[in-house]
Amino acid sequence: MQESFTIRAALESGMSRTRLYRDASTRPFRGVRARSGVLTDHLAKCRAYALLERDAHLFSHHSAALIHGLPLSRSRVPDDVHVATFTPTKPPQMKGVAAHELRPAGHRITRVDELRCFSAEDAWAQLSSTLSVAELVVIGDYIVTGDEPYSGDTAHGTREDLERALRHHGRRPGVQRLRQAIELVRFGALSPQETRLRLMLVDAGLPEPELNYRVFDRERRVAMVDLAYPIERIAIEYLGDHHRTDQATYQEDINRRERLTGAGWDTVFITSADVREPVPRAVMLVRRALARAHANSS
């Protein structure tokens, strides 16, 4: 039997009530049991709730975002599953569920791995009541970019999709944050760290860098860098922990810097320590690189 199951399905399969309550003590939702202890993975909780087969119920907000793979920080992953219904259908009232009742107009419904949920852009709009502008920009960047700069695969949505979700969000909580965020969303960021670094540099008064810029030297591709100031020939690379712990990645970072230097580019490496508040060192490093470039060109 699968990881989670309904009581009805268990009884219909011939399991006795005695064995049911002895072997499956975890009760994620009323009428559902889990075989493998407490469900800690949010998607597993969503799959468990979906077994109830309530056609009028849709995964929304944080749950929809996680189903789509949107980049929510760990602190934003909820314990409860977010489920919404459209008026006049009343949302579920049970332990383990954060219930929402929404107006039916303007939403786009989709299905991901057999889970019915709101579209990625609608989940983005719904999250505006709890997320900051920067967090909304991170998710917006991901929706319009995905992995497309590398793979060419179509992203989750477009800027037009975000605008549609914003229009239908109405005057609900967070709409002002949505309006601020959508003006800052850009195509090209391949990680939340790249988006946050871009926002940090702009907030500090520096020019907005280009994202995942392809550097060529005499028609030969040298590298695709995380952020770039092409006129000043400055490449900014964000190095996560795997750049330090993986030998092959570490060596490629060195080779990349040498190729960029050979092409006349100045490379600024940024780590997680460089973006820590209250005074991010990353801003100083990039500002100094821009000053060098301007001094050399004068």
Side-chain angles (χ1 to χ4, degrees), residues 61-62 65 70-73 76 120-144 162 166 169 173-186 192 195-196 198-199:
H61 296 74
H62 301 71
L70 305 186
L72 273 181
S73 63
R76 296 296 192 180
E121 65 271 14
D122 283 322
W124 170 78
Q126 291 165 355
L127 290 171
S128 64
S129 61
T130 57
L131 300 192
S132 67
V133 171
E135 289 172 311
L136 292 169
V137 177
V138 165
I139 293 175
D141 278 5
Y142 178 81
I143 289 174
V144 302
L162 297 182
L166 172 58
H169 194 68
V175 67
Q176 291 301 325
R177 286 194 291 274
L178 279 182
R179 289 173 179 153
Q180 293 176 53
I182 200 169
E183 295 302 317
L184 296 169
V185 168
R186 302 288 185 271
T195 295
R196 295 188 187 106
R198 170 175 66 86
L199 296 177

Side-chain angles (χ1 to χ4, degrees), residues 58-265:
L58 300 161
F59 293 110
S60 66
H61 296 74
H62 301 71
S63 295
L66 291 165
I67 289 170
H68 284 287
L70 305 186
L72 273 181
S73 63
R74 289 183 182 180
S75 63
R76 296 296 192 180
V77 177
D79 291 328
D80 293 345
V81 169
H82 285 257
V83 177
T85 59
F86 291 130
T87 302
T89 302
K90 296 302 179 183
Q93 301 296 321
M94 69 170 67
K95 184 178 179 180
V97 175
H100 307 272
E101 184 176 346
L102 306 176
R103 291 182 291 103
H107 300 283
R108 188 166 71 87
I109 309 305
T110 186
R111 189 180 292 271
V112 179
D113 294 333
E114 300 307 313
L115 298 175
R116 292 184 70 242
C117 59
F118 288 89
S119 66
E121 65 271 14
D122 283 322
W124 170 78
Q126 291 165 355
L127 290 171
S128 64
S129 61
T130 57
L131 300 192
S132 67
V133 171
E135 289 172 311
L136 292 169
V137 177
V138 165
I139 293 175
D141 278 5
Y142 178 81
I143 289 174
V144 302
T145 304
D147 192 51
E148 190 171 342
Y150 274 136
S151 65
D153 294 339
T154 303
H156 283 277
T158 64
R159 184 180 181 85
E160 288 71 27
D161 291 327
L162 297 182
E163 291 171 347
R164 178 199 60 78
L166 172 58
R167 285 196 302 272
H168 289 100
H169 194 68
R171 297 182 179 180
R172 280 176 284 176
V175 67
Q176 291 301 325
R177 286 194 291 274
L178 279 182
R179 289 173 179 153
Q180 293 176 53
I182 200 169
E183 295 302 317
L184 296 169
V185 168
R186 302 288 185 271
F187 174 86
L190 285 170
S191 73
Q193 292 79 8
E194 291 176 22
T195 295
R196 295 188 187 106
L197 180 55
R198 170 175 66 86
L199 296 177
M200 180 180 293
L201 297 177
V202 173
D203 285 345
L206 297 177
E208 182 169 345
E210 296 195 29
L211 299 172
N212 282 290
Y213 184 83
R214 291 169 172 79
V215 177
F216 289 86
D217 182 27
R218 294 187 292 275
E219 299 184 357
R220 178 178 64 88
R221 178 171 164 173
V222 174
M224 184 170 76
V225 297
D226 296 339
L227 300 95
Y229 293 109
I231 294 176
E232 293 84 359
R233 290 180 170 251
I234 296 173
I236 305 168
E237 293 278 73
Y238 185 91
L239 305 183
D241 282 344
H242 70 284
H243 288 262
R244 174 179 55 83
T245 58
D246 184 81
Q247 183 62 37
T249 303
Y250 177 71
Q251 185 61 51
E252 172 54 25
D253 290 336
I254 295 174
N255 296 340
R256 178 195 300 263
R257 185 173 216 165
E258 290 176 349
R259 293 196 303 270
L260 287 165
T261 299
W265 281 64

Side-chain angles (χ1 to χ4, degrees), residues 21-60:
Y21 287 99
R22 181 190 66 206
D23 294 350
S25 59
T26 302
R27 304 172 59 182
F29 308 104
R30 186 171 60 246
V32 179
R33 296 294 183 268
R35 178 173 294 279
S36 56
V38 177
L39 295 178
T40 56
D41 177 76
H42 194 84
L43 292 181
K45 292 180 182 179
C46 291
R47 289 190 290 270
Y49 185 86
L51 295 175
L52 294 173
E53 296 182 338
R54 298 181 175 180
D55 293 339
H57 295 190
L58 300 161
F59 293 110
S60 66

